[in-house]
Amino acid sequence: PRLTAVDVVGLTGGVASITTGGSHTCALTATGGVKCWGSNGSGQLGDGSSTNRSTPVDVNGLASGVSAIDAGRSHSCVLTAAGGVKCWGYNAFGQLGDGSTATRLTPVDVSGLAGGVAAIAAGAYHSCGLTTAGGVKCWGNNVYGALGDGSTTTRLTPFDVSGLASGVSAIAVGTYRTCALTATGGVKCWGNNGFGALGDGSTTNRLTPVNVGGLASGVAAIAAGGNHTCALTAAGGV
């Protein structure tokens, strides 16, 4: 363990953003490449192996052309500069979106999302994309309704979230749960609600989006954790 900050080997500069998953970390470089390190038992580092790495390794085929990254529990996804989505790693519930449940040691294309995507979010066992039209699509584990399509059927490829074909500006994915920030500053959530993480005043799981109480407007950003959710208001409150 380290009690103070240490430099990541080979990443002292030129990094545009970072993301942390269950037990791995990835970095987007300033030149649009991706490097990952940490646990790799499910291929979540994307280097073609299942060997844990204590220093950053290049993700196969992603030396450039990436605009955003997000890491789930044991999988990783990127948004390309062309608006497409690629994922790799653990795939038992279809969270890679390639139509299979096969673990992938290198990036694969998400079915039907070769373009037109503005943002991505990777959760524990599902993933979502925000389209350039402001719609939301999700794929993977759906046992609690985290895909928002009105069912509890696991999906191996992206499905539209009910009622959110447009009007969304940002998405956040937690464990078995998804939330969306609307263009008007409101928040909607769906999926697991055992701890009230959907914010609708209940602990009832929701298979389609519900409004978060008291957050119909005035929200600037959202974040979803394991079993709770937070919002940053336009006034700077939380």
Side-chain angles (χ1 to χ4, degrees), residues 2 9 24 33 58 62 66 70 72 79 125 127 146 152 160-161 172-173 176-177 180-181 184 188 193 195-196 198 222:
R2 301 287 189 176
V9 174
H24 73 291
D58 293 325
L62 295 182
V66 174
D70 201 26
L79 174 65
Y125 304 114
S127 309
T152 55
D160 293 328
V161 174
V173 172
Y176 304 118
R177 183 181 81 265
L181 174 64
T184 56
K188 296 175 179 286
N193 198 24
F195 297 93
L198 303 188
I222 53 174

Side-chain angles (χ1 to χ4, degrees), residues 172 177 179-181 187 189 196-199 212 215 219-233 237-238:
R177 183 181 81 265
C179 293
L181 174 64
V187 184
C189 296
L198 303 188
V212 175
L215 295 182
V219 175
I222 53 174
N227 293 300
H228 73 294
T229 311
C230 293
L232 171 67
T233 71
V238 181

Side-chain angles (χ1 to χ4, degrees), residues 59-87:
V59 175
N60 281 14
L62 295 182
S64 62
V66 174
S67 61
I69 56 174
D70 201 26
R73 177 165 291 176
S74 297
H75 74 290
S76 311
C77 295
V78 298
L79 174 65
T80 70
V85 184
K86 296 175 180 285
C87 299

Side-chain angles (χ1 to χ4, degrees), residues 15-103:
V15 175
S17 65
I18 56 172
T19 180
T20 56
S23 52
H24 73 291
T25 308
C26 294
L28 173 64
T29 71
T31 56
V34 182
K35 296 175 179 286
C36 298
W37 60 97
S39 177
N40 198 28
S42 298
Q44 57 264 52
L45 303 189
D47 68 340
S49 79
S50 56
T51 302
N52 297 339
R53 306 292 186 178
S54 56
T55 58
V57 292
D58 293 325
V59 175
N60 281 14
L62 295 182
S64 62
V66 174
S67 61
I69 56 174
D70 201 26
R73 177 165 291 176
S74 297
H75 74 290
S76 311
C77 295
V78 298
L79 174 65
T80 70
V85 184
K86 296 175 180 285
C87 299
W88 61 95
Y90 188 60
N91 196 31
F93 301 99
Q95 57 264 53
L96 303 189
D98 69 340
S100 81
T101 56
T103 290

Side-chain angles (χ1 to χ4, degrees), residues 141-236:
N141 189 295
N142 199 27
V143 65
Y144 296 106
L147 305 190
D149 66 346
S151 80
T152 55
T153 302
T154 289
R155 307 293 187 178
L156 307 185
T157 57
F159 266 64
D160 293 328
V161 174
S162 179
L164 292 183
S166 64
V168 174
S169 61
I171 53 176
V173 172
T175 302
Y176 304 118
R177 183 181 81 265
T178 312
C179 293
L181 174 64
T182 70
T184 56
V187 184
K188 296 175 179 286
C189 296
W190 57 96
N192 187 284
N193 198 24
F195 297 93
L198 303 188
D200 67 342
S202 80
T203 55
T204 302
N205 297 337
R206 304 296 184 177
L207 307 185
T208 57
V210 293
N211 293 321
V212 175
L215 295 182
S217 64
V219 175
I222 53 174
N227 293 300
H228 73 294
T229 311
C230 293
L232 171 67
T233 71

